């Protein structure tokens, strides 16, 4: 029997009480400071937009500061409070939150809620990212272009409130999962920097390696136009038009696999490589290399030349890059044998950094799914007076909780 099971058997053998958030917390709105109020040093603050882009689940330092004068007029969060962004353009991000674990007060911006509570702050934060919370918040969110959850309505959220010892053990288990994911993410960041370093080193100009215009070793061909109405729901071949994400799929291809391509309008200058047959549309350049140039080597060279390519893009309502501009890009041209060795080296790095099947991203995704599964399992309890539940009974319990919440709201 695990330590958590022992604690539940000892401290809450007959189930856990479910409460409304308002029963264990006070919920208030944030203040009114804006990004223009930032100063280099001053009173620590969290702007609601940073919760989407910068903060993880917990924080003990802030990214930004405001002056002490501006801070006196603001709403503040204390240690262990939850700061929640209550507006977003999508349902996934609305109500994203961070637990403030640092010492002292911090100022909180508008479009945010401050949740001052009596639970373990990490336990509550994990719950506020769980499926149980998600299913409740989607009923509270309103709006079209911008979704909002009113801070007052958050009080209707129902959550399990186990004894503090149980909360602490759940936090310990989930912390182990998040720390492992963080370690893998840090390793991925380091690997990407290592990959960029070796790519720059291997492809930088050298006195003994000639530099030639791309047009001397490859022809540049523009694709053939297709429109969305021509695409097939079950088409086999991806269609690249004005972005590296396929426009859709087609039942024919006009370029063979193992081909480098460049977007020439829209996401102009972006470089891709397809290891399967594909359809190049009219906003896509492809390259036919002669015997002196390996096509995958060209991909790595162009990726390494991104800053030079970006400088050639014509800025307009639809950014574009001309065929002549691409044709005159100078590239290093070592022997074909050396090109292939460089490709092998860089491909290995790229697989580690980007391959969604075997690389670090795949392992991070697997760990994240594992964490989410165990998080939702650990935060599901039999309610006081009920027996331990099977999965099907757990589903019925969730339905009953949602029904109770709806009744209270009506």
């Amino acid at each position: 029997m695990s330590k958590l099971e022992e604690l539940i058997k000892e401290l809450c053998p007959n189930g856990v009480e479910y409460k409304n958030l308002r029963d264990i917390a006070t919920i208030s709105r944030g203040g009114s400071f804006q990004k223009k109020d930032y100063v280099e040093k001053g009173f620590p603050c969290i702007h609601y937009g940073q919760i989407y882009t910068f903060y993880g689940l917990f924080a003990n330092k802030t990214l930004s500061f405001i002056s002490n004068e501006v801070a006196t007029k603001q709403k503040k969060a204390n240690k262990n409070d939850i700061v929640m962004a209550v507006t977003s353009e999508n349902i996934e991000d609305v109500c994203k939150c961070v637990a403030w674990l640092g010492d002292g007060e911090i100022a909180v911006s508008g479009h945010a809620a401050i949740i001052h509570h009596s639970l373990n702050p990490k336990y509550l934060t994990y719950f506020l990212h769980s499926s149980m919370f998600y299913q409740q918040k989607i009923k509270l969110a309103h709006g079209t272009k911008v979704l909002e959850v009113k801070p007052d309505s958050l009080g209707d959220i129902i959550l399990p409130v186990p004894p503090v010892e149980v909360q602490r053990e759940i936090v310990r288990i989930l912390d182990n999962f998040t720390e492992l994911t963080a370690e893998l993410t840090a390793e991925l960041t380091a690997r990407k920097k290592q990959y960029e370093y070796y790519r720059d080193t291997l492809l930088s100009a050298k006195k003994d390696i000639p530099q030639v215009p791309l047009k001397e070793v490859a022809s540049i061909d523009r694709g053939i136009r297709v429109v969305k109405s021509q695409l097939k729901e079950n088409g086999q071949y991806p269609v690249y038009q004005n972005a590296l994400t396929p426009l859709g799929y087609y039942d024919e291809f006009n370029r063979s696999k193992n081909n480098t391509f460049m977007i020439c309008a829209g996401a102009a200058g972006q470089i891709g490589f397809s290891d399967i047959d594909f359809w190049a549309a009219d906003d896509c350049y492809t390259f036919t290399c002669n015997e002196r140039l390996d096509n995958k080597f060209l991909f790595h060279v162009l990726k390494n030349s991104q800053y030079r390519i970006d400088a050639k893009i014509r800025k307009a309502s639809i950014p574009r890059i001309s065929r002549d501009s691409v044709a005159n890009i100078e590239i290093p041209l070592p022997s074909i044998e050396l090109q292939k060795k460089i490709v092998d080296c860089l491909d290995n790095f790229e697989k580690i950094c980007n391959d969604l099947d075997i690389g670090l991203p795949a392992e991070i995704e697997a760990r994240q799914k594992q964490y989410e599964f165990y998080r939702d399992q650990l935060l599901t309890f039999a309610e006081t007076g009920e027996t331990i539940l099977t999965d099907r009974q757990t589903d019925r319990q969730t339905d009953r909780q949602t029904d109770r919440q709806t009744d209270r709201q009506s």
Side-chain angles (χ1 to χ4, degrees):
M1 182 180 293
S2 70
K3 181 178 179 181
L4 179 59
E5 289 172 327
E6 291 176 355
L7 287 171
I8 290 174
K9 184 177 180 180
E10 176 187 352
L11 300 174
C12 44
N14 297 318
V16 167
E17 187 175 5
Y18 280 69
K19 296 183 179 181
N20 288 104
L21 186 58
R22 67 168 59 87
D23 295 331
I24 50 90
T26 58
I27 305 165
S28 57
R29 290 182 176 271
S32 59
F33 74 84
Q34 300 175 19
K35 293 180 181 178
K36 67 179 182 179
D37 296 315
Y38 290 165
V39 295
E40 187 173 343
K41 292 182 179 179
F43 196 89
C45 64
I46 290 181
H47 187 275
Y48 82 99
Q50 296 168 338
I51 298 175
Y52 308 130
T53 58
F54 178 78
Y55 290 104
L57 298 176
F58 320 112
N60 55 23
K61 294 180 181 178
T62 64
L63 175 65
S64 304
F65 302 87
I66 54 177
S67 68
N68 289 327
E69 181 182 1
V70 173
T72 59
K73 305 172 186 177
Q74 302 305 315
K75 299 291 182 65
K76 298 179 179 68
N78 293 295
K79 184 173 184 177
N80 296 335
D81 287 351
I82 309 297
V83 180
M84 175 182 287
V86 292
T87 63
S88 175
E89 295 179 355
N90 59 76
I91 192 63
E92 284 73 25
D93 282 343
V94 70
C95 291
K96 187 176 181 184
C97 61
V98 55
W100 171 244
L101 304 181
D103 294 325
E105 294 181 319
I106 57 169
V108 176
S109 77
H111 300 293
I114 303 168
I115 303 174
H116 182 71
H117 59 92
S118 58
L119 302 182
N120 182 301
K122 285 191 170 185
Y123 173 83
L124 181 54
T125 303
Y126 282 127
F127 170 80
L128 293 172
H129 288 84
S130 69
S131 296
M132 189 184 302
F133 174 70
Y134 181 89
Q135 293 304 318
Q136 296 183 70
K137 80 171 181 180
I138 60 178
K139 299 178 185 299
L140 302 178
H142 64 278
T144 51
K145 290 186 178 180
V146 176
L147 295 174
E148 180 182 11
V149 173
K150 293 182 179 179
D152 290 345
S153 68
L154 289 168
D156 293 326
I157 294 295
I158 299 169
L159 71 158
V161 184
V164 64
E165 295 86 353
V166 174
Q167 294 178 38
R168 191 181 300 122
E169 180 61 12
I170 289 172
V171 165
R172 186 191 68 79
I173 295 169
L174 293 179
D175 277 354
N176 287 336
F177 280 107
T178 56
E179 287 170 10
L180 178 57
T181 301
E183 288 172 3
L184 289 171
T185 302
E187 183 179 353
L188 177 60
T189 300
R191 292 288 188 177
K192 284 184 175 180
K193 289 182 179 179
Q194 190 179 31
Y195 163 64
E196 291 170 1
Y197 169 80
Y198 277 105
R199 186 186 66 195
D200 293 347
T201 301
L202 292 170
L203 298 176
S204 60
K206 296 181 176 63
K207 292 181 180 179
D208 57 338
I209 294 179
Q211 299 273 322
V212 300
L214 179 55
K215 62 185 177 184
E216 288 191 12
V217 287
S219 62
I220 304 170
D221 305 301
R222 193 166 185 166
I224 301 173
R225 179 178 173 81
V226 293
V227 295
K228 285 190 175 181
S229 60
Q230 294 176 271
L231 303 181
K232 311 293 183 180
E233 187 173 338
N234 58 348
Q236 182 178 353
Y237 304 104
V239 175
Y240 293 104
Q241 170 69 349
N242 51 15
L244 295 181
T245 301
L247 177 67
Y249 293 84
Y250 203 34
D251 55 6
E252 298 179 26
F253 67 92
N254 62 0
R255 297 294 186 271
S256 298
K257 60 184 178 180
N258 299 326
N259 206 317
T260 299
F261 63 91
M262 177 189 291
I263 305 302
C264 59
Q270 293 297 298
I271 313 300
F273 185 87
S274 180
D275 56 7
I276 62 173
D277 299 333
F278 65 101
W279 185 276
D282 59 330
D283 285 336
C284 180
Y285 294 141
T286 56
F287 305 90
T288 303
C289 302
N290 65 24
E291 69 281 356
R292 299 170 62 197
L293 179 63
D294 180 86
N295 205 296
K296 191 61 180 290
F297 179 77
L298 173 62
F299 165 77
H300 288 297
V301 169
L302 292 177
K303 289 287 287 184
N304 199 52
S305 304
Q306 192 69 63
Y307 71 97
R308 286 187 288 166
I309 294 170
D310 291 345
K312 296 175 181 291
I313 295 172
R314 180 169 60 85
K315 304 297 189 292
S317 57
I318 300 178
R320 296 183 181 277
I321 186 167
S322 71
R323 193 196 312 251
D324 285 344
S325 294
V326 178
N328 286 300
I329 294 173
E330 290 205 341
I331 64 169
L333 197 68
S335 68
I336 196 72
E337 293 79 14
L338 182 54
Q339 290 180 41
K340 292 182 182 298
K341 289 181 180 179
I342 291 173
V343 166
D344 286 343
C345 176
L346 295 179
D347 278 357
N348 286 333
F349 274 112
E350 193 173 32
K351 284 179 181 177
I352 292 172
C353 294
N354 300 318
D355 196 305
L356 297 179
D357 294 321
I358 63 172
L360 282 170
E363 187 170 356
I364 291 172
E365 182 181 7
R367 294 296 183 185
Q368 181 66 20
K369 288 181 179 178
Q370 187 182 37
Y371 151 70
E372 291 172 358
F373 172 80
Y374 281 105
R375 178 197 63 202
D376 292 344
Q377 291 291 310
L378 291 169
L379 293 171
T380 301
F381 298 89
E383 193 168 0
T384 301
E386 296 182 359
T387 57
I388 300 300
L389 306 181
T390 64
D391 289 344
R392 184 173 298 177
Q393 290 170 324
T394 300
D395 292 339
R396 289 202 295 269
Q397 175 184 300
T398 302
D399 291 340
R400 289 198 298 273
Q401 292 163 1
T402 303
D403 290 341
R404 288 199 297 271
Q405 176 186 338
T406 302
D407 292 340
R408 291 187 180 109
Q409 292 171 345
S410 60

